[in-house]
Amino acid sequence: MRLYRFLTAVDDATFCHKVTAALNKGWHLYGSPTYAYDGQEKIMRCGQAVVKDVEGQDYVAGETKLGDW
């Protein structure tokens, strides 16, 4: 199965640590990062898509926990 996640966080070290943790679990960057202003919170937010291929497993919507991989 191929898994997809979109990681987001405020624009500080939290975002970098979140992406780094995913990379160390075998996820791969997918596309370019995003950067946007959150007008309600008045902060900048970052986002990065990541993907991961898992052999021998089937994806089941609502049951496959993406964070477990």
Side-chain angles (χ1 to χ4, degrees):
M1 78 176 147
R2 181 160 235 200
L3 302 173
Y4 170 90
R5 293 174 67 194
F6 187 72
L7 307 174
T8 62
V10 296
D11 180 25
D12 62 13
T14 303
F15 176 72
C16 295
H17 287 288
K18 187 181 279 192
V19 174
T20 299
L23 294 174
N24 280 284
K25 287 184 172 184
W27 293 83
H28 300 276
L29 300 178
Y30 185 80
S32 299
T34 61
Y35 193 61
Y37 182 69
D38 179 341
Q40 186 174 13
E41 297 292 324
K42 297 183 176 30
I43 57 173
M44 295 301 291
R45 295 195 180 271
C46 299
Q48 174 67 57
V50 293
V51 294
K52 183 176 186 178
D53 292 316
V54 179
E55 299 297 325
Q57 298 289 322
D58 293 323
Y59 173 76
V60 180
E63 292 182 25
T64 300
K65 304 277 190 256
L66 299 175
D68 291 347
W69 297 97

